Amino acid sequence: MADSTGKKKIIAAGVAVALLAGGTYGYYGYFHKPPASPAAAGHEGHGSAGAAAANGETVVLDANARQLAGVQTAQAETRNLVKEIRTTGKITLNETGRTYITSRVMGRVDELYISAEGQYITPGQAVAAIYSPDYIAAQEEYILAMDTVYKLRNASPDLIQVNQRLLEAARRKLELLGVSPADIAHLEHTRQAGAHMILRAQFGGTVLEKQILPGAYIMAGEKLYTLSDLSTVWLYADLYEKDIAAVQVGQEAAVTTTAWPGETFTGQVSFINPVLDDATRTVKVRIELNNGEGKLKPNMFASASLQAPLGDSLVIPVSGLLDTGRRKMVFIAQGEDSFVKRDVVTGQEAQGFVQILSGLDPGDTVVTAAAFLLDSQTQLGSFSSHAGHGSSNKKPAPSPAKQPGAAPSASGPAPSVPPANDHSGHAGH
């Protein structure tokens, strides 16, 4: 029995020695691997990538980097641009055609011949019958003057002349009261004063407002009707500050409305407000439109399009301009792989192009696609094809702190870990 127990102890000791030897060999082999070759370590697990570098405001891209960034270019050239300005507005009354019909006598309105708003009145049309003592007295004065001239037709020349002047004064009084020549002629024929004065319209137009009712007493000069000539109307449209310089008085405008789809009304700019609206940062522009058919109604919304010729100027595509708010820049191609940033002064934009007032010459090649990426590169500085990979100067991670009261390692202190190689962060290491 004693011999069997001793053999078991010898076998267990041998197994322990073998396990300790194997673990020591594996630990040493893991931390003492032969270093890989620099070429293999530098590119293991990586695909080919384009290279780029930035120096100040110049960016250099190889062919592969240009393809990946999608760089496109175009030449600065001279073009004849026409800028289209689109805006909206509201149809309003033509204020030059706005009038009032008033009475020149005091009296009572006994009858109205125009009783509803929206009716059209022609000049000279009868609109009301007014009972006026002033009108009756003026008629009697004229009749008396006519009788006096007839009765004293054989008197002395001086008296005839005085009577004639009195007749002319009486007739002039009727005219000043608004009596029409036809009504005066009728009075001369009948020699009978009428009880009512027929008020006739001094102007023509559409009745916008009726301010009188039958039976009302009126004073001389009181408004009876408000009229407007709707044969022409105005469109007030808003222009932004950037478009003010392109619009001039007399410029033609095309106007469309949702009420008449497919139909275009032609008008002309007749006035540009000299004051900018501080709330909307716009300027009111008045467009005068012919409205002979009456299709354009006041307070109707409309859209307007104005074509503003800008003339011949040096232009580039709008996509080639970088506007930071403080600077306006473009990238100029210098050779096949070099691009340099340049400040420019710009003008108007039209038809997908922007005017270049200074900073470029005709024939300069400008980057029109990926210009923003180039500008970002000048801000970030140069980069290589390994950007984003593990750092080549990584420090070994510190060993975990020893916990208070922890038991010491049975195997003694761990061997020192050799520093990682330059590409320890790459895939495959």
Side-chain angles (χ1 to χ4, degrees), residues 124-367:
Q125 181 177 343
V127 297
I130 302 174
Y131 172 79
S132 173
D134 294 339
Y135 173 62
I136 296 175
Q139 292 180 93
E140 291 176 349
E141 288 180 13
Y142 187 60
I143 294 172
L144 180 60
M146 287 190 294
D147 292 340
T148 301
V149 169
Y150 179 77
K151 290 178 181 179
L152 299 177
R153 62 183 182 276
N154 296 324
S156 64
D158 293 340
L159 185 57
I160 293 176
Q161 185 177 4
V162 170
N163 291 333
Q164 190 65 37
R165 292 177 61 184
L166 290 175
L167 177 63
E168 293 176 358
R171 180 185 177 90
R172 179 64 176 165
K173 185 175 182 178
L174 289 173
E175 292 175 348
L176 293 176
L177 290 177
V179 182
S180 67
D183 292 338
I184 294 176
H186 179 73
L187 178 62
E188 293 174 351
H189 177 71
T190 61
R191 302 292 178 101
Q192 294 292 329
H196 290 85
M197 174 181 174
I198 303 302
L199 180 63
R200 300 183 182 276
Q202 302 97 330
F203 309 99
T206 301
V207 178
L208 300 180
E209 188 176 359
K210 180 172 68 71
Q211 291 123 322
I212 195 67
L213 293 174
Y217 280 86
I218 60 174
M219 302 297 292
E222 187 171 343
K223 301 173 185 176
L224 304 183
Y225 299 93
T226 301
L227 308 181
S228 180
D229 182 8
L230 297 181
S231 61
T232 59
V233 292
W234 290 346
L235 170 64
Y236 275 104
D238 296 320
L239 280 185
Y240 289 105
E241 292 181 69
K242 63 184 180 67
D243 297 326
I244 294 176
V247 178
Q248 305 293 331
V249 173
Q251 190 169 333
E252 191 172 277
V255 177
T256 57
T257 63
T258 56
W260 305 98
E263 188 169 356
T264 301
F265 303 89
T266 302
Q268 283 189 335
V269 176
S270 59
F271 177 74
I272 301 175
N273 198 318
V275 180
L276 184 76
D277 190 327
D278 187 51
T280 62
R281 309 305 302 169
T282 59
V283 166
K284 289 289 185 183
V285 175
R286 187 175 71 208
I287 301 172
E288 189 167 337
L289 299 162
N290 183 19
N291 191 34
E293 298 181 8
K295 293 182 176 180
L296 299 176
K297 315 295 184 183
N299 299 320
M300 180 183 289
F301 287 106
S303 299
S305 174
L306 298 94
Q307 303 293 327
L310 302 179
D312 293 333
S313 55
L314 184 66
V315 299
I316 62 170
V318 174
S319 59
L321 179 67
L322 294 174
D323 190 350
T324 66
R326 297 174 57 188
R327 298 176 62 187
K328 293 184 179 181
M329 307 162 293
V330 297
F331 274 93
I332 306 297
Q334 293 184 338
E336 185 176 354
D337 57 358
S338 179
F339 305 93
V340 63
K341 187 187 298 184
R342 185 180 297 178
D343 291 325
V344 295
V345 178
T346 61
Q348 298 282 340
E349 293 184 14
Q351 299 174 274
F353 295 91
V354 58
Q355 290 178 316
I356 302 298
L357 305 182
S358 65
L360 291 180
D361 295 321
D364 285 344
T365 302
V366 178
V367 176

Side-chain angles (χ1 to χ4, degrees), residues 76-112:
E77 58 182 347
T78 300
R79 280 178 175 260
N80 188 354
L81 296 183
V82 176
K83 182 176 183 177
E84 182 181 16
I85 301 172
R86 300 192 64 85
T87 182
T88 58
K90 183 186 287 187
I91 301 293
T92 64
L93 298 172
N94 182 350
E95 292 297 334
T96 61
R98 190 182 179 94
T99 56
Y100 296 107
I101 294 179
T102 61
S103 173
R104 299 183 185 182
V105 298
M106 179 178 64
R108 183 185 68 242
V109 178
D110 285 346
E111 188 175 0
L112 287 178

